[in-house]
């Protein structure tokens, strides 16, 4: 999920445009790619009103930031299977039977049915799931409407990816830091592996830093491409990240490599932390991680002495049963080494003073305390819910000028697993209406069997989508969505950074496709609350948000690539940190008040199950895809025609498996099919499973769900208590017990008979 890249103000000031010649009849626009979550600045070229090419930016600071997903976007969005008109389900849910209707007809019925559900069950019976990286943004309007109506049950994939890091980071220092890659001297990648066609700007920044002489430390069970470039590679056991960081802290504290002045003046809880760290001598850490004590110590010393150092955000730590402790330990390492809010370290940027943030648009203050208390998951797993974030309201206002800071859209969320249980009729109250925008929730969260049951139990499902995803196949209404080529955008870095970028609209959306702004404006009207979205157009709304700049949105988008405030370091010396104590809380007063351990800890793996002797991790990206998207594009599928599970040669040999064999990966929750790829870079006894696989060319409807039943990794992602992070309630998907068995000849024949040629549209 998201990783906005920081920009050096001097680079921006010195940027010399080298605009390339344009063919006659071609119109160019500066835009921001949303083919993945990292938001590269690119240029579109259009002929006769249609985008025909996406190329890299004319701005030299963005010139290298483009990948294959952005380049093929025009073809992907022009695919004949794109949904261009509102569709209404006419058969049983999941039957695959639809009729075309108008926006007005759809919204009238949606409004009537949603109001009936709210009247019968309360506003909390309405849940919404969005992936704002896919929609670009929903402008905060979804939360705004829900807060006024009274529903706290908004969920997102950011619960597993960056949003939860943002929320948990507040427990330590009140904001979500971003590394200063332009000046750092050491970079630590925890399982993250940016590549030329995946996280391209981050890849570029890391390579440039190494060329300057910066050190690179990589923790990863696999010998990734980043590990091969690293000064130190720690091939730790999957899921042992927090234990490794305890080992680093043991070395740094024992050898007094920390910043004593910063610890004394700007932290609380150091002595208690030290006692907890003493529970992790290097011999124990070596056993937990599988790495040699000497290498653990060498890496810790490099981080502490070669700095200022950065630990870039990583999705890996977000998705573990020790996620909260892991995120906290990252923050503690940054803090005690004095790398917080300094050049070359980790910046705490806050809001841009000239742009109204989406946190304000969302209007969280209008949701009553009574309704906030009903937020699903907040009683048992409160970290990113209203309950868990309430203690930061006063500190946020003191330091950043706003009571609510929804950084990376990861604060004030319901817990996904608890939301789906309520939807399935297994929760504390019923949830009977479910909307999702730019999101494939059936495959994007843990425990797909539960999510399927939950969706089949709904009275109303509304999707805002471009294509007939497996989730959309279960909807009552599918409302056609625009693409990033077809709308303007204010990209505020998801409130993570103070830099703001602007994107021009390159072409008109086809058919009746509409933006998230228009979708929510229609919903407000359908609920008889049109005053909640008072702006006539998206451009009017943007003019409202940028008014403090003294320019209109149209003027800004023509003249400005990046709108930013000059960075000020060590701002905490003037106003403290946005925590209750005003200091970095190594021992969290907020976690303690919520009934959790105020110090990080490490939960060792549950007892081994002899029936499932291997460990599985999922979430690794294939260059041609982003999450569950892009599988309809022939060029992307040619690169990845089938889902592949990775095994080491040793493990494959023990199981009697060969390259290219079809296998089942199984655990107690379910099983999936994949083609076996044997990789020397994989450690023994670990299985890599790709994320988000389905095949648009396969049969639609609840029985097949375009192959999701066969291939989707969410069927293996457990969310039972042993595999949940305690504070957040998010699943552990980096080390799930599993086994790999061959697919029989009969089963293989069934696979072959169901798969048609790539991208033959399903009937």
């Amino acid at each position: 999920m998201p990783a906005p890249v920081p920009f050096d103000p001097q680079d921006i000031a010195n940027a010399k445009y080298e605009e390339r010649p344009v063919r006659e009849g071609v119109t160019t626009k500066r835009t921001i790619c949303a083919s993945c979550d990292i938001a590269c600045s690119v240029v579109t070229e259009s002929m006769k009103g249609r985008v025909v090419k996406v190329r890299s930016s004319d701005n030299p600071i963005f010139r290298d930031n483009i990948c294959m997903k952005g380049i093929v976007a025009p073809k992907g969005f022009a695919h004949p299977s794109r949904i261009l008109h509102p569709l209404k389900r006419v058969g049983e849910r999941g039957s695959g039977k639809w009729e075309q209707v108008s926006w007005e007809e759809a919204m009238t019925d949606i409004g009537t049915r949603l109001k009936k559900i709210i009247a019968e069950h309360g506003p909390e019976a309405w849940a919404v799931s969005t992936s704002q990286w896919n929609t670009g943004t929903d402008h905060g309007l979804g939360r705004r409407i829900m807060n006024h109506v009274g529903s706290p049950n908004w969920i997102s994939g950011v619960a597993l990816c960056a949003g939860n890091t943002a929320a948990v980071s507040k427990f330590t220092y009140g904001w979500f830091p971003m590394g200063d890659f332009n000046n750092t001297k050491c970079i630590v990648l925890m399982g993250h592996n940016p590549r030329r066609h995946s996280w391209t700007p981050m890849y570029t920044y890391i390579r440039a830093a190494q060329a300057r002489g910066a050190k690179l430390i990589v923790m990863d069970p696999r010998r990734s491409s980043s590990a091969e470039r690293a000064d130190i590679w720690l091939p730790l056991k999957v899921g042992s990240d927090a234990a490794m960081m305890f080992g680093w802290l043991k070395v740094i504290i024992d050898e007094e490599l920390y910043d004593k002045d910063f610890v004394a003046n700007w932290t609380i809880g150091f002595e208690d932390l030290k006692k907890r760290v003493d529970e992790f001598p290097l011999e124990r850490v070596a056993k937990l991680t599988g790495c040699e004590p000497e290498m653990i110590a060498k890496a810790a010393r490099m981080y502490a002495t070669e700095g200022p150092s950065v630990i870039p955000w990583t999705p890996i730590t977000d998705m573990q049963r020790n996620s909260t402790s892991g995120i906290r330990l990252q923050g503690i390492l940054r803090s005690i080494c004095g790398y917080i809010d300094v050049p070359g370290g980790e910046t705490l940027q806050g809001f841009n003073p000239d742009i109204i943030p989406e946190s304000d648009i969302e209007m969280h203050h209008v949701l009553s305390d009574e309704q906030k208390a009903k937020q699903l998951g907040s009683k048992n797993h409160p970290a990113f819910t209203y309950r868990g974030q309430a203690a930061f309201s006063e500190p946020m206002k003191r330091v950043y000028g706003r009571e609510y800071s929804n950084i990376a859209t990861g604060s004030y969320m319901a817990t996904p697993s608890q939301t789906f249980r309520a939807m399935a009729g297994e929760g504390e109250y019923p949830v009977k209406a479910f909307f999702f925008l730019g999101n494939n929730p059936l495959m994007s969260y843990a425990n797909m069997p539960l999510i399927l049951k939950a969706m089949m139990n709904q009275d109303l499902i509304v999707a805002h989508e471009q294509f007939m995803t497996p989730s959309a196949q279960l909807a009552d209404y599918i409302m056609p969505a625009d693409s990033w080529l077809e709308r303007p955008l204010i990209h505020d870095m998801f409130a993570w950074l103070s830099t703001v970028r602007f994107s021009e609209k390159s072409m008109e959306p086809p058919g009746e496709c509409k933006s998230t702004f228009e979708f929510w404006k229609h919903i407000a009207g359908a609920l008889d609350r049109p005053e909640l979205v008072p702006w006539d157009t998206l451009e009017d709304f943007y003019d409202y948000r940028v008014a403090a700049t003294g320019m209109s949105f149209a003027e800004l988008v023509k003249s400005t690539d990046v709108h930013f405030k000059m960075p000020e370091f060590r701002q905490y010396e003037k106003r403290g940190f946005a925590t209750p104590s005003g200091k970095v809380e190594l021992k969290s007063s907020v976690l303690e008040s919520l009934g959790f351990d105020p110090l990080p800890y490490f939960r060792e793996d549950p007892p081994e199950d002899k029936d499932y002797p291997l460990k599985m991790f999922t979430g690794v990206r294939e260059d041609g895809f982003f999450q569950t998207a892009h599988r309809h594009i022939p060029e992307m599928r040619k690169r990845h025609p089938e889902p592949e599970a990775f095994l080491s040669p040793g493990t494959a040999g023990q199981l009697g498996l060969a390259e290219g064999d079809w296998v089942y990966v199984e655990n107690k929750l379910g099983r999936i099919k994949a083609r076996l790829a044997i990789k020397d870079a994989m450690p023994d006894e670990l299985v890599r499973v790709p994320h988000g696989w389905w095949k648009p060319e396969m049969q639609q409807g609840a029985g097949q769900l375009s192959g999701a039943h066969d291939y989707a990794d969410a069927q293996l992602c457990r969310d039972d208590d042993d595999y949940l992070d305690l504070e957040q309630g998010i699943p552990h998907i980096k080390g799930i017990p599993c086994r790999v068995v061959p697919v029989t000849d009969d089963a293989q024949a069934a696979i072959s008979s169901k798969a048609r040629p790539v991208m033959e549209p399903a009937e």
Side-chain angles (χ1 to χ4, degrees), residues 20-166:
R20 282 162 268 190
V22 177
R23 292 170 293 163
E24 185 177 353
V26 172
T27 301
T28 64
K29 299 286 185 179
R30 290 182 295 145
T31 189
I32 295 172
C33 179
S35 291
C36 79
D37 50 0
I38 205 164
C40 295
S41 293
V42 296
V43 172
T44 61
E45 296 184 359
S46 300
M47 296 182 68
K48 298 180 180 179
R50 309 302 297 174
V51 175
V52 295
K53 182 178 181 180
V54 175
R55 61 171 173 81
S56 61
S57 174
D58 294 320
N59 188 324
I61 67 173
F62 302 130
R63 177 62 59 82
D64 292 333
N65 297 343
I66 192 168
C67 81
M68 64 176 74
K69 292 183 284 293
I71 291 170
V72 302
K75 185 168 186 176
F77 293 129
H79 195 275
S81 65
R82 183 169 174 182
I83 297 168
L84 301 179
H85 305 280
L87 298 177
K88 178 182 178 180
R89 175 174 64 84
V90 293
E92 295 296 319
R93 188 177 305 285
S95 65
K97 297 179 181 179
W98 307 91
E99 68 176 4
Q100 182 177 321
V101 295
S102 68
W103 271 86
E104 181 180 7
E105 181 182 353
M107 284 295 163
T108 297
D109 189 40
I110 289 168
T112 298
R113 294 167 67 176
L114 182 55
K115 285 184 287 187
K116 182 176 184 290
I117 290 167
I118 291 171
E120 291 181 0
H121 302 288
E124 62 273 15
W126 177 29
V128 175
S129 175
T130 66
S131 284
Q132 313 237 35
W133 331 125
N134 298 334
T135 62
T137 176
D138 85 337
H139 317 286
L141 296 175
R143 301 301 304 268
R144 181 188 184 93
I145 294 170
M146 293 178 75
N147 286 334
H148 278 86
V149 169
S151 176
N153 292 322
W154 185 92
I155 62 173
S156 173
V158 301
L160 292 162
C161 192
N164 60 332
T165 302

Side-chain angles (χ1 to χ4, degrees), residues 307-323:
S309 303
V310 297
I311 305 173
W313 167 75
T314 169
I316 308 304
T317 314
D318 287 351
M319 303 174 182
Q320 299 184 18
R321 62 200 300 271
N322 291 300
S323 174

Side-chain angles (χ1 to χ4, degrees), residues 202-224:
M202 192 67 71
Y203 169 87
T204 302
Y205 267 81
I206 293 169
R207 298 287 81 78
Q210 285 190 283
R212 276 197 330 268
K215 303 295 185 181
L216 179 63
I217 303 170
V218 172
M219 304 180 191
D220 200 316
R222 311 156 295 165
R223 192 179 68 251
S224 67

Side-chain angles (χ1 to χ4, degrees), residues 425-566:
E426 302 170 6
E428 56 188 281
Y429 56 77
V431 171
K432 301 301 292 183
F434 184 50
F435 290 18
F436 52 94
L437 292 81
N439 183 218
N440 191 359
L442 189 68
M443 302 170 61
S444 299
Y445 300 94
N447 196 345
M448 181 173 147
L450 170 68
I451 302 170
L452 179 59
K453 179 181 178 182
M455 294 181 71
M456 296 300 288
N457 192 45
Q458 293 302 285
D459 291 343
L460 175 64
I461 298 179
V462 179
H464 186 239
E465 241 318 339
Q466 297 164 344
F467 294 95
M468 190 64 75
T469 66
S471 298
Q473 293 170 31
L474 301 177
D476 295 288
Y477 283 97
I478 306 174
M479 309 308 294
D482 68 358
S483 77
W484 58 269
L485 299 173
E486 301 152 9
R487 58 174 176 253
L489 177 67
I490 292 177
H491 195 285
D492 65 356
M493 302 298 194
F494 316 111
W496 187 347
L497 309 185
S498 60
T499 49
V500 179
R501 290 182 291 155
F502 309 97
S503 180
E504 295 182 280
K505 182 178 182 177
S506 297
M507 63 187 240
E508 292 298 321
E512 297 179 85
C513 297
K514 296 185 184 295
S515 68
T516 51
F517 172 88
E518 294 171 287
F519 174 86
W520 285 120
K521 188 170 178 65
H522 278 290
I523 292 295
L527 291 172
D528 305 320
R529 300 294 304 273
E531 76 281 2
L532 297 182
V533 187
W535 306 276
D536 290 334
T537 67
L538 178 55
E539 288 79 4
D540 292 339
F541 174 64
Y542 282 163
D543 284 343
Y544 165 76
R545 289 188 62 194
V546 305
T549 67
M551 290 189 282
S552 68
F553 173 75
E555 291 168 333
L556 276 169
V557 78
K558 287 292 186 184
S559 64
T560 308
D561 271 343
V562 184
H563 182 79
F564 62 96
K565 64 176 184 179
M566 291 300 294

Side-chain angles (χ1 to χ4, degrees), residues 231-295:
D231 296 277
I232 296 176
W233 170 40
L234 295 170
L236 77 174
K237 292 179 181 177
V238 65
S240 66
D241 305 42
M244 177 64 74
M245 286 183 275
F246 270 120
W248 282 27
L249 284 169
K250 180 66 174 167
V251 173
I252 290 168
I253 292 173
D254 285 356
E255 298 182 10
E256 299 187 359
L257 303 178
Y258 57 93
D259 185 327
K260 297 181 179 63
D261 288 340
F262 185 86
V263 168
N265 296 318
W266 289 104
T267 72
I268 61 171
F270 182 73
E271 291 303 320
D272 289 320
L273 172 70
K274 187 175 183 300
K275 291 176 184 177
R276 177 60 54 84
V277 169
D278 283 341
E279 298 174 13
F280 292 86
L282 287 193
E283 292 74 16
R284 182 188 178 196
V285 174
K287 183 177 179 181
L288 292 172
T289 64
C291 295
E292 294 296 326
E294 295 78 10
M295 291 303 296

